[in-house]
Amino acid sequence: MKDPLSHGNDTDHKKAAHKPAIPGSGGLLYPQQNLLRNVLEISGLWQFQLDPKEEGEAQAWFNALPSPRMIPVPCSWNDLFDDARDYLGLAWYRHEGYAPSSWRGQRVFLRVGSANYAAKVWVNGMIVAEHFGGHLPFAVEITDQLLWDRQNIIAISVENRQLPERVPPGPAAAGAGAFGSLPPFPATTYDFFPYAGLHRPVLLYSVPAAAHIDDVTVVTTLDDEDGVVKVAVSAGGYAGKGKLQLNDSEAELNFCAGSAEAILRVPSARFWCPEDPYLYLLTVTLTDEDQTIDAYSLDIGIRTIAVCGDQLLLNGQPIKLTGFGKHEDFPLSGRGQNLPMWVRDYELLKWIGANSYRTSHYPYAEEAMMLADRLGVLVINEIPAVGLNFGDGEAMTARRLAQCRQQLHELILRDKNHPSTIIWSLANEPVTGSTPDVPMPEAVAAGTSFFRQLYGEAHRLDGTRPVTLVGLQGGPAEWLGLFDIVSINRYYGWYAMPGRLDRARRELERELDALHESLGKPIIMTEFGADTLPGAHNTPPEMWTEEYQVELLRHYLDAVENRPFVVGMHVWAFADFKTGQNIIRAAAMNFKGVFTRDRRPKMAAHFLRSRWTES
């Protein structure tokens, strides 16, 4: 089978040794400008060229593109160019620019915020890194490749081919897709558009050459009214001293083999929560006598999150999640980072009375997590494991497990210090995908083993947050029972029992009670909703009208009113979003949003606002 990272023809450049993501580094700290560190964003207009014949590497396109056009970075290419709307193959980005001369003597890194899906990076004609899997950043040191007396050429090749061995997996056979015999175009195993490109900023950053802080891990606990902040710092092979400072509190760090830990106590702390999302500034320094060698600061929230019986506890108090599943999706920019969209989305979440959302079905931009910290929004943070299928045999399952481990590791490295992230989600709607030669029980068992291992990995990497799996309607209950919280997507009244809302509610209530009785864990409804054409009305309510969407949501919210074990209700979806073309997706759109794609409220948004802001 072809190496999923391989594209183009074999060349000396391809055979040359290259660096993995984050070489020699312990983490994915967000690059920071201070007195000792530097950051230069090189996003903007880059040269761009499609490479459908995959000839660019052999022809050294990393030096010069033969027929380039300009493209904004970050952005998806699909909504920009008519000939690239459905193109998911290889494409090239190229940038020229000077490295600041003041950075000489420091270590310089290149950081790509998200390249969807497989990427290779060249600096001045030399391949320096490959990364597999979109939605998460990767960094590579390029100090030795930089030129200081002329412009540097940075080239990145990206492709988003939908291959079965990837996560998310592509269709296993030609024509297979998210809807079985009614596949979308482009063909996917998931119901959103497979946007491709450099979706988040590209940065150069420098750190001190003598020693620098690789990673910081913050764990907070509560002791009556005090906050206890445990901090672990990684700094390569550094063996000196350092210091922690949190407001007026300080603690010394003594490094051994590049690692150090210390604990700070904050008397009468302000505990982070949606009503008071207070952030403390934590500063970590490496010191040599009176000289500061390196420094890094981050905002932290003092809070705890836990599951106890039927309850989800924030700072020891029960909390109910109200909110949505959503997508990073907007006209023209596609899945590319769109800060105005994010600011508006958080404003609308506040307006409607929601306190949370799920990053369906991939990690969102780091800046979105920073805003959530500052605004007090609770986030279920999900890896890109949508469309998993356990009927493809042991070899394919093993390959996907390795990728999910990588994605989970990178996500936790990136987001572990965000107080807004309260739950890790390890997959959305996995299926048994049974075939004649793989009986259903074997597929269920394969999934059980897969998720048990992934669950253990999540708690090994971060023992402070609950872990969940989002289950498909009709999926194996055994998988749900492995996790701390039961998360389910249900579409009674839409895909099942369409138009029959009273019957749909009764079936929903029956299943909720049965799940709770058998699993004995809190439940979050992570998806429920109905496609709704903006401006379509009728009485009595009928499917696709705004009135029907309101009535379906009303039935679901009423069904859980007296079921305290349901600790979260996330409507699908926050806003309409683009999909592949399909006969059940009018205008290549999923219209389940309570806001339109350009964020205008439907009737359902006003209904939810009245429901969620009553108190």
Side-chain angles (χ1 to χ4, degrees):
M1 182 176 291
K2 186 176 180 181
D3 181 349
L5 277 177
S6 170
H7 46 249
N9 299 317
D10 286 333
T11 67
D12 291 339
H13 291 277
K14 181 176 175 181
K15 295 176 182 177
H18 64 271
K19 303 176 183 179
I22 338 165
S25 176
L28 282 173
L29 292 177
Y30 192 80
Q32 185 173 101
Q33 179 72 55
N34 59 32
L35 294 176
L36 298 160
R37 293 169 168 246
N38 296 287
V39 179
L40 175 65
E41 182 171 349
I42 58 173
S43 304
L45 290 175
W46 286 43
Q47 292 183 347
F48 176 76
Q49 187 165 342
L50 303 181
D51 186 9
K53 295 181 181 179
E54 299 191 359
E55 59 191 2
E57 191 167 343
Q59 296 180 11
W61 287 13
F62 40 79
N63 289 325
L65 297 179
S67 301
R69 51 187 162 184
M70 304 307 291
I71 190 171
V73 174
C75 195
S76 302
W77 69 58
N78 308 88
D79 283 1
L80 299 183
F81 306 117
D82 290 349
D83 61 329
R85 184 193 64 186
D86 303 309
Y87 182 77
L88 304 178
L90 190 64
W92 288 75
Y93 292 78
R94 184 178 179 275
H95 169 83
E96 290 187 36
Y98 286 96
S101 59
S102 61
W103 292 17
R104 297 188 77 161
Q106 292 192 309
R107 296 177 67 183
V108 180
F109 290 78
L110 173 70
R111 191 180 199 262
V112 179
S114 170
N116 202 18
Y117 189 78
K120 287 186 179 182
V121 182
W122 286 261
V123 174
N124 296 320
M126 182 174 294
I127 186 168
V128 295
E130 299 186 20
H131 187 259
F132 183 50
H135 316 295
L136 288 162
F138 62 96
V140 61
E141 184 174 0
I142 60 170
T143 309
D144 294 340
Q145 289 76 38
L146 279 181
L147 303 172
W148 298 99
D149 59 348
R150 71 195 77 169
Q151 293 197 94
N152 294 275
I153 299 173
I154 295 173
I156 305 175
S157 65
V158 184
E159 52 88 355
N160 191 29
R161 293 193 296 262
Q162 303 295 293
L163 302 178
E165 63 268 22
R166 292 185 168 177
V167 176
F179 303 100
S181 62
L182 302 172
F185 176 75
T188 61
T189 59
Y190 46 83
D191 185 24
F192 53 94
F193 193 84
Y195 280 114
L198 296 180
H199 284 158
R200 305 208 180 117
V202 181
L203 307 174
L204 294 176
Y205 69 93
S206 71
V207 296
H212 74 277
I213 298 160
D214 284 335
D215 191 32
V216 179
T217 302
V218 178
V219 174
T220 64
T221 55
L222 313 183
D223 185 5
D224 292 328
E225 295 183 356
D226 295 350
V228 180
V229 181
K230 181 179 180 181
V231 183
V233 182
S234 172
Y238 184 65
K241 293 186 177 295
K243 184 173 67 175
L244 296 180
Q245 185 166 0
L246 185 70
N247 288 14
D248 296 328
S249 301
E250 290 188 358
E252 287 191 358
L253 292 169
N254 294 296
F255 284 85
C256 179
S259 298
E261 293 185 358
I263 295 176
L264 292 167
R265 177 174 287 270
V266 182
S268 301
R270 291 175 65 176
F271 300 150
W272 186 96
C273 63
E275 297 76 23
D276 183 23
Y278 186 80
L279 298 174
Y280 290 86
L281 181 65
L282 173 71
T283 299
V284 184
T285 56
L286 306 183
T287 58
D288 183 4
E289 296 181 351
D290 293 333
Q291 182 181 3
T292 300
I293 301 173
D294 189 25
Y296 191 86
S297 298
L298 67 159
D299 293 321
I300 68 164
I302 298 176
R303 64 108 181 97
T304 60
I305 188 75
V307 170
C308 182
D310 289 340
Q311 297 180 322
L312 178 65
L313 303 179
L314 178 67
N315 301 327
Q317 300 299 315
I319 189 167
K320 301 280 187 179
L321 304 183
T322 57
F324 301 91
K326 66 191 307 293
H327 271 291
E328 284 188 311
D329 173 276
F330 204 74
L332 293 184
S333 58
R335 191 142 297 123
Q337 177 178 283
N338 187 325
L339 296 183
M341 179 202 78
W342 272 112
V343 170
R344 182 58 180 162
D345 283 3
Y346 281 117
E347 191 71 11
L348 291 173
L349 286 171
K350 178 181 178 182
W351 172 84
I352 209 169
N355 64 12
S356 57
Y357 65 84
R358 175 169 62 115
T359 70
S360 41
H361 302 294
Y362 40 81
Y364 292 171
E366 290 162 282
E367 292 79 2
M369 299 299 102
M370 295 173 187
L371 281 170
D373 293 342
R374 192 161 297 279
L375 299 173
V377 178
L378 306 169
V379 178
I380 300 175
N381 215 333
E382 190 164 272
I383 66 172
V386 55
L388 290 179
N389 173 354
F390 292 94
D392 291 338
E394 293 181 7
M396 194 72 79
T397 297
R399 294 188 68 167
R400 293 172 182 160
L401 178 59
Q403 292 170 61
C404 285
R405 285 181 184 272
Q406 172 197 327
Q407 293 167 347
L408 179 63
H409 180 68
E410 292 177 355
L411 177 60
I412 291 177
L413 274 176
R414 196 194 76 168
D415 289 350
K416 61 189 173 183
N417 295 324
H418 289 291
S420 56
T421 291
I422 59 166
I423 299 170
W424 303 117
S425 175
L426 303 190
N428 179 75
E429 296 190 348
V431 297
T432 55
S434 59
T435 61
D437 58 331
V438 182
M440 177 74 73
E442 293 184 18
V444 173
T448 300
S449 174
F450 183 102
F451 291 123
R452 183 176 286 118
Q453 293 179 68
L454 205 56
Y455 173 84
E457 185 77 355
H459 275 296
R460 183 186 70 80
L461 293 169
D462 176 20
T464 71
R465 292 174 174 89
V467 180
T468 194
L469 165 86
V470 176
L472 175 73
Q473 191 160 334
E478 297 96 314
W479 296 350
L480 299 175
L482 296 172
F483 292 85
D484 304 313
I485 296 175
V486 175
S487 297
I488 57 173
N489 298 343
R490 294 297 182 264
Y491 287 97
Y492 298 113
W494 190 254
Y495 297 124
M497 305 168 196
R500 291 166 285 179
L501 290 179
D502 290 339
R503 182 181 171 191
R505 174 176 170 174
R506 291 194 297 271
E507 185 58 28
L508 172 66
E509 293 172 336
R510 183 205 63 77
E511 186 184 10
L512 287 173
D513 291 339
L515 275 174
H516 180 248
E517 183 177 353
S518 63
L519 301 178
K521 296 179 179 181
I523 296 174
I524 300 174
M525 294 207 63
T526 37
E527 290 185 25
F528 59 100
D531 279 276
T532 306
L533 295 176
H537 298 280
N538 203 4
T539 184
E542 61 186 7
M543 295 176 69
W544 295 91
T545 65
E546 295 197 34
E547 287 83 1
Y548 188 86
Q549 185 182 35
V550 168
E551 288 308 306
L552 184 144
L553 298 182
R554 189 194 312 277
H555 276 66
Y556 274 72
L557 295 180
D558 288 348
V560 304
E561 191 78 15
N562 297 313
R563 289 175 168 80
F565 55 84
V566 179
V567 299
M569 295 293 285
H570 278 181
V571 175
W572 188 259
F574 177 75
D576 298 338
F577 58 90
K578 185 174 175 61
T579 68
Q581 297 177 69
N582 188 277
I583 61 171
I584 71 168
R585 290 284 171 251
M589 292 281 292
N590 187 308
F591 284 107
K592 291 189 180 68
V594 305
F595 296 97
T596 63
R597 196 182 188 203
D598 59 355
R599 278 43 180 184
R600 289 174 290 120
K602 301 177 187 177
M603 285 179 60
H606 293 282
F607 163 72
L608 290 172
R609 183 172 190 260
S610 68
R611 190 78 175 235
W612 287 342
T613 61
E614 286 177 352
S615 57

